[in-house]
Amino acid sequence: MSSDLSIAIKSHQEAFGLELNDETIDRLDRYYFLLLEHNPILHLIGPMDANEFAIRHMLESLVLLQYLPEKARFADIGSGGGLPAIPCLLARDDLMAVLIESKEKKTKFLELAVAELGLAKRVRIVTRQFHEVDPANCAFITCRALDKFTEKLDRLLKWSMRRHLLLFGGPNLREALRKAKVDFDETLMPMSEQRMLFAVRQP
């Protein structure tokens, strides 16, 4: 029997330009139930039903795949419960990632989830502030839910050292990017009025 999350993903994936196979959807489902299991203590995600989670978290995270070429390595800043990185890693076996999360309790969850989901060989988890980490072999940097994101943008731009930035946000982030005088493209998320993915082009 399909779970509520699986049904929601199958119902809405076309709007996001996706065509996920059953195996991938099952893997996303296992990840969702890990989040639910540990959420009461760790507060990894806010309260919402499976349909909203599928749209706002799973499918929006997977929009990132359009920007990641084959065998891309990316760093995910402020990973928290693993969004957007883990859904992308579950959907594409060629991707590798560094998950950067400063809160130790959340990195413990990431370690558990990565092991449970069979991702350990393709993921490195770092318990530090992003500016203390060397992104070394990562060609792409993504960020979805960093605390005080706009305040940290200038530091993020300098730290990324001209890597491709793929940033999730809304009008406030757009304004901060304009003030930073960087070039970017923006993609409005399907089924949303103001959530966007900003692809930042640095000289």
Side-chain angles (χ1 to χ4, degrees):
M1 180 182 294
S2 296
S3 71
D4 290 344
L5 182 82
S6 297
I7 293 168
I9 290 174
K10 290 176 181 178
S11 297
H12 301 301
Q13 64 173 337
E14 186 178 353
F16 288 79
L18 296 165
E19 189 175 350
L20 304 171
N21 60 38
D22 288 343
E23 181 182 356
T24 297
I25 293 174
D26 286 346
R27 296 172 82 185
L28 294 171
D29 207 38
R30 290 200 298 275
Y31 169 49
Y32 175 56
F33 280 102
L34 281 174
L35 283 170
L36 292 182
E37 180 183 351
H38 294 272
N39 202 51
I41 295 174
L42 298 178
H43 308 292
L44 301 165
I45 54 175
M48 66 186 70
D49 62 21
N51 188 70
E52 185 178 2
F53 184 86
I55 295 167
R56 289 198 57 188
H57 292 303
M58 290 295 196
L59 294 171
E60 287 192 3
S61 292
L62 292 171
V63 170
L64 199 64
L65 296 177
Q66 301 172 27
Y67 297 85
L68 297 174
E70 187 176 357
K71 297 183 179 179
R73 181 187 293 266
F74 65 97
D76 182 24
I77 298 172
S79 286
L83 299 160
I86 288 180
C88 293
L89 291 159
L90 292 173
R92 291 242 320 256
D93 291 337
D94 61 296
L95 298 176
M96 301 184 73
V98 177
L99 309 187
I100 303 170
E101 170 54 54
S102 62
K103 296 179 176 64
E104 187 172 357
K105 288 182 179 179
K106 291 184 177 179
T107 57
K108 293 294 184 186
F109 169 77
L110 291 172
E111 289 168 359
L112 179 150
V114 161
E116 290 277 338
L117 297 166
L119 299 173
K121 291 183 179 180
R122 296 191 284 126
V123 174
R124 180 165 68 98
I125 299 167
V126 182
T127 313
R128 291 183 181 274
Q129 299 288 339
F130 74 84
H131 53 84
E132 300 173 331
V133 181
D134 180 5
N137 297 324
C138 296
F140 297 85
I141 308 289
T142 189
C143 184
R144 190 171 186 268
L146 189 66
D147 290 337
K148 300 180 180 178
F149 198 168
T150 56
E151 295 177 23
K152 297 177 180 178
L153 181 62
D154 284 343
R155 175 176 282 184
L156 173 59
L157 291 170
K158 291 176 183 176
W159 170 83
S160 63
M161 297 178 65
R162 301 182 181 179
R163 290 173 172 84
H164 299 284
L165 292 174
L166 300 166
L167 309 176
F168 293 79
N172 289 341
L173 180 55
R174 179 200 289 126
E175 186 59 29
L177 289 167
R178 286 174 176 167
K179 287 182 178 178
K181 297 181 179 179
V182 293
D183 292 328
F184 62 90
D185 295 320
E186 62 182 72
T187 300
L188 179 66
M189 291 294 171
M191 308 177 71
S192 172
E193 294 183 357
Q194 61 178 11
R195 292 192 301 277
M196 285 160 283
L197 178 61
F198 297 95
V200 181
R201 303 184 300 274
Q202 297 197 80

